Amino acid sequence: MTDPTYLARMDVRHRAPPSPPLKRNPNPTAYEFTLTLHDPPGPFAHAKGFMQYETRLADPCGPDLGGMSGTRKGLHESIPFEVEQLAPGVFRGVVYTDLIESHDYFGLGVCHVPMVAARIEMWPTGNPDDTPFVESMLTEEIIAETAFRSGFLRSDYPNGGFEDTSAMRYRVGTPLRARVKESDLFNVEVRARKLY
């Protein structure tokens, strides 16, 4: 039988010091992040965006929390950004790839807290039962000013039936996309463009 205190000893989150406030870069690099829906099954009432920032796993700039795996305190923040609907099915937001400054947050060396991805969540009607439709780009894709096509199942609109779960994405060129009929999908064009 497993020692009942084993899992408690493995979980070292209680040893973590409070997260410091993360400093903002006064001159961040801005990119336009645009989603264009093609022939969606209905309207989308509103959308919101988030930029996900976090340190790399086991970055030595964070305090060692102990434990068998040498877990270190990481820094992360999900920062909202405004998304406007420019026209029916066209959503635009501005993201910043370097909004959080590198800084010695714990006195152990400089922590780099890069953006790892940005996402836009779209909601059909605003009803709490709606299925959110979420599309994202990795930071590397944003910096490269990438454009790609993805899609969602028409049958997931407005409610795919799975509580607290977003609609499955079907990105062009992936094995998942190859398993569905194109006629069952509505497409989304995703692109990024540097502003300044």
Side-chain angles (χ1 to χ4, degrees), residues 45-46 122-133 156 158-160 162 164-165:
H46 72 279
M122 301 169 291
W123 303 82
T125 67
N127 184 315
D129 294 331
D130 281 356
T131 295
F133 290 75
D156 282 341
N159 185 332
F162 297 101
D164 298 324
T165 303

Side-chain angles (χ1 to χ4, degrees), residues 55-116:
T55 48
R56 289 190 188 87
L57 191 63
D59 190 319
C61 76
D64 187 344
L65 304 181
M68 292 172 55
S69 61
T71 306
R72 289 188 174 272
K73 166 78 174 175
L75 294 171
H76 55 86
E77 187 172 348
S78 184
I79 302 172
F81 64 91
E82 285 190 30
V83 177
E84 61 180 325
Q85 190 163 186
L86 302 176
V90 181
F91 296 91
R92 175 194 178 270
V94 175
V95 299
Y96 301 94
T97 54
D98 54 356
L99 186 59
I100 295 179
E101 284 190 341
S102 296
H103 184 74
D104 187 354
Y105 289 102
F106 297 104
L108 298 170
V110 174
C111 283
H112 302 286
V113 190
M115 186 178 86
V116 293

